[in-house]
Amino acid sequence: MRRRKAPVAVGLAVAAALAVVSSPAQARPAPSCTGTVCHFDVPPGTYDVRVVLGGDAPSRTSVSGETRRALLPETPVGAGERAVRSFTVDVRTPEGEPTGPDGSPGLDLVLGGAAPALADVRVSPARHARQVFLVGDSTVCDQPGEPYSGWGQQLPRYLRKGVSVANHADSGESTVSYLADPRLWDAVRSRVRRGDLVLVQLAHNDKTTDEATYRNNLRTLVEGVRAEGGRPVLVTPIVRRWFNADGTLDNGTALLVNGLGVDHPAVVRSLAADEDVPLIDLTARTKELVESLGVEDSKALYLTDTKRDNTHTSEYGATVYAGLVRDALVEQRLVPEGLVRGDGN
């Protein structure tokens, strides 16, 4: 069950926006706004969203949507001022994990932040948007309930209008199960268009997959993306927060070596080199970060204190890890820098 925070009054700004957005001449879907939630009755597709933030008092507004996807980071606006922000969002059914519940039809946008204020909101079909598909497991997916969050759930907050994240990651999936379930790989492949990016991070659940099978499964995913004209990107898995006595993560549990001795990050790196596929070494990046924070401070990245879980990330940790993915996309010129947000806005 999806949990929502108690509504916070947005003020008369939303009502004023309705009159603008629902104008027939603009041919845009009209929102139905209640409290901090605005619903748009639109079919599945890719949509551009333009919000005008601010009110009479100082405000701080963030925007999420669908199954807890972070679409816009908290944005401060001074009293009496306005700030315009735009982003592109993927609307589909199921709206969250592909094997989960359908969710509500259409597009739901939820205002958050310390003092939310919305002056206007407009939604229109996106034209020529770049798609970033995500293939992964529970460390990537749109987690339905707090305190869990996958890094793919936070990635949209770092992207501007013109780039949409289609998160098809699903909890509990291995390379074997992802390829076998038509709701997963078949659904992704049917949607990929020429030039789309497909980021693949699967490893955490390949606990009994031998090396040859794991490598071949990843190759099948790479070849399938290329067959549709897309561009595959291999991503090594995030580390588990499992420290040695010396404060390092140099062990099989932390670095995703399975019970058969298969070093998943090493296989991904090798295949990326063999197939000339862009690589985001998220294992190396998260290892460096977790070790630099140390045993205590790294707990905030994971659900160590709340769930005794050193594999799945908190919303904070998922946001930090999504930032690492953002950095890699820019560094490798996979997404134009002008379409990427910094840590602010």
Side-chain angles (χ1 to χ4, degrees):
M1 178 181 295
R2 186 164 30 159
R3 297 168 57 188
R4 295 189 186 279
K5 296 182 179 179
V8 178
V10 182
L12 299 177
V14 171
L18 296 181
V20 176
V21 179
S22 59
S23 170
Q26 293 174 324
R28 295 188 179 97
S32 172
C33 296
T34 305
T36 58
V37 180
C38 286
H39 173 79
F40 294 82
D41 187 14
V42 296
T46 307
Y47 294 89
D48 290 331
V49 179
R50 177 184 181 272
V51 294
V52 180
L53 307 177
D56 293 339
S59 62
R60 298 185 67 90
T61 309
S62 63
V63 181
S64 61
E66 300 297 85
T67 301
R68 302 177 60 235
R69 283 184 233 158
L71 301 173
L72 186 71
E74 187 173 76
T75 304
V77 182
E81 298 179 355
R82 297 291 184 267
V84 178
R85 297 290 185 270
S86 299
F87 51 85
T88 303
V89 61
D90 174 62
V91 177
R92 65 180 186 277
T93 302
E95 69 178 29
E97 293 181 272
T99 64
D102 286 351
S104 59
L107 170 62
D108 289 308
L109 300 176
V110 182
L111 301 183
L118 177 67
D120 191 12
V121 55
R122 304 186 183 196
V123 171
S124 58
R127 307 297 181 190
H128 311 297
R130 298 166 182 257
Q131 298 278 13
V132 179
F133 290 89
L134 303 182
V135 170
D137 52 36
S138 58
T139 65
V140 185
C141 75
D142 288 347
Q143 289 281 359
E146 299 175 349
Y148 294 88
S149 182
W151 62 256
Q153 201 164 18
Q154 302 299 324
L155 185 61
R157 64 183 281 140
Y158 290 118
L159 301 174
R160 300 180 187 276
K161 174 185 173 183
V163 185
S164 164
V165 175
N167 191 351
H168 288 258
D170 196 70
S171 294
E173 305 300 341
S174 65
T175 57
V176 176
S177 63
Y178 203 94
L179 284 167
D181 193 330
R183 296 171 296 180
L184 301 172
W185 175 233
D186 288 353
V188 172
R189 185 166 179 175
S190 69
R191 292 189 60 192
V192 173
R193 299 292 180 264
R194 183 166 300 279
D196 288 342
L197 293 180
V198 183
L199 277 57
V200 178
Q201 186 216 279
L202 287 167
H204 278 84
N205 299 301
D206 280 279
K207 298 173 183 177
T208 60
T209 309
D210 64 75
E211 183 169 337
T213 301
Y214 183 64
R215 179 182 291 271
N216 287 336
N217 287 344
L218 290 175
R219 182 179 288 111
T220 297
L221 292 166
V222 166
E223 292 174 349
V225 173
R226 284 175 166 168
E228 303 300 334
R231 188 173 188 186
V233 180
L234 290 173
V235 183
T236 60
I238 67 170
V239 295
R240 293 190 179 99
R241 184 189 160 279
W242 200 268
F243 281 94
N244 296 325
D246 64 358
T248 68
L249 299 179
D250 295 320
N251 59 77
T253 300
L255 300 181
L256 282 296
V257 178
N258 75 9
L260 302 179
V262 180
D263 185 331
H264 293 102
V267 175
V268 175
R269 295 176 188 121
S270 173
L271 183 67
D274 291 346
E275 298 292 329
D276 193 24
V277 176
L279 173 73
I280 297 177
D281 198 339
L282 202 51
T283 306
R285 289 173 185 252
T286 55
K287 178 179 184 291
E288 180 181 8
L289 175 60
V290 172
E291 287 182 341
S292 70
L293 291 173
V295 174
E296 289 303 317
D297 289 346
S298 64
K299 289 179 179 178
L301 297 170
Y302 292 82
L303 299 176
T304 306
D305 291 332
T306 55
K307 296 290 184 179
R308 296 184 181 179
D309 185 338
N310 292 298
T311 296
H312 297 97
T313 48
S314 63
E315 182 176 321
Y316 167 71
T319 301
V320 172
Y321 287 178
L324 298 179
V325 175
R326 179 269 320 268
D327 294 345
L329 291 173
V330 172
E331 290 165 8
Q332 299 190 48
R333 299 183 179 180
L334 296 170
V335 174
E337 190 170 0
L339 296 179
V340 175
R341 298 184 195 277
D343 293 330
N345 290 284

